Each structure stands twice: as structure tokens, then as C-alpha cells.
Amino acid sequence: MGANENDPGDLLYWKKFLAEAGTAFEPTPEPSPSFEMLRELYASIISQYGHACAMTGERFAPAEGLLHDTLEIVAIRPLVAGGALHVSNFLCLSPAAANAFHRGHLAVGPGLELLADLSRIDPELLERLNPQGRLRVPDNPLTHPDPQALAFHRHHIFLAGA
């Protein structure tokens, strides 16, 4: 009597079954967003924030080309850390504010209050922050910063640097 991989009473059946169960699951990779989609997202974020820095309120003229020279679009929760490719996961910031946000010198609290690490923030930037101490958000509530992304940034970037 020979080995039968289709017979549950045969050892070969179970070896084949367990080998299949041990195969690692590999999800299908997400397709990369198209250049056009990224361009539209970038333009939408700049427009939603009215060509102004969300932390300082500094206003700038619209860009003449594709990219704005004096404003940066910054992911709140980095895409490599699970951040969404959605307008609510991005802030429109001046280069100085973007740098401070990336480095964890600035963050945004649960009530959209600006949080600054006074031991690390550039004093000149601190003077330029919104005097009301709050993040300026777009008029459209659907484009407001995602509270979970802001919490991720506070916990993993802002507090991690303290």
C-alpha cells in the first residue's frame, strides 16, 4: 500500500497539510499612488490652509509652479508608520515650523493647542507661533487634522524626544 496525500489516515496527508498551513501570508502590496493623485493632494492641502502656515498663521502667495517655495506639506503620522494618504493626515507649515514638527520640538494637543518643548524649540519660531496658542485649521471640518494622527505624533515623536 503506497502513500496517499489525499487520505487523512496517511502521514503524507498531514505533512502536506501542515506544510501548507505553515506558509507565510504575504499581503498584496498597495499600489503606489499616482503622480497625479499626489499632486492633487498637495494642491488641496495648500488650498485648504489658504496658503498659510497652520502654526504661525503666516500667509504666502499662491505657488507659480507645482511646488510652493515657502510652504511645506508635512505628514502628521508618517506614511511609513501607518499614516493615511489623506488631507486630514497633513499640515501646511512654514519650513521652520515643519522642521520643528519633524524633530519633535512642536506638537498639537487634543484641543488643537500648540505644544512646544521650550528646551529645544528655536526662540525665533516660538515668537512667530499663533499668539492664541492654537493650530489654525481649514474651514471644512472634513479636512481638520486627524485626532489619532495628532496623538500618534505627540506620543511617538514629540514625547520621544523629551
Side-chain angles (χ1 to χ4, degrees):
M1 194 166 179
N4 184 355
E5 63 183 29
N6 296 320
D7 179 8
D10 194 301
L11 182 60
L12 186 59
Y13 171 88
W14 291 104
K15 283 183 179 180
K16 180 182 174 191
F17 175 78
L18 293 173
E20 289 173 359
T23 303
F25 172 73
E26 294 184 24
T28 306
E30 291 287 323
S32 296
S34 70
F35 176 77
E36 183 62 26
M37 186 200 145
L38 293 174
R39 188 191 70 70
E40 287 178 16
L41 179 65
Y42 179 90
S44 176
I45 295 165
I46 293 271
S47 175
Q48 289 292 325
Y49 280 92
H51 300 88
C53 175
M55 292 188 171
T56 66
E58 296 170 281
R59 293 197 175 275
F60 301 95
E64 291 183 21
L66 174 63
L67 298 177
H68 206 286
D69 292 337
T70 50
L71 284 170
E72 295 183 21
I73 302 306
V74 179
I76 301 168
R77 180 175 183 158
L79 300 178
V80 296
L85 195 59
H86 186 271
V87 68
S88 65
N89 186 45
F90 292 89
L91 295 174
C92 183
L93 300 174
S94 67
N99 183 41
F101 189 75
H102 275 299
R103 297 174 68 194
H105 301 181
L106 280 173
V108 180
L112 300 179
E113 64 275 10
L114 295 176
L115 307 174
D117 182 337
L118 297 178
S119 68
R120 299 187 301 154
I121 191 169
D122 176 7
E124 290 180 20
L125 174 60
L126 184 61
E127 287 182 21
R128 293 194 332 257
L129 292 177
N130 181 356
Q132 293 152 343
R134 296 183 48 81
L135 185 73
R136 297 170 191 262
V137 296
D139 292 333
N140 182 349
L142 296 175
T143 60
H144 285 193
D146 176 22
Q148 291 178 338
L150 292 172
F152 178 91
H153 181 270
R154 278 192 310 275
H155 181 73
H156 295 282
I157 297 170
F158 182 67
L159 294 177

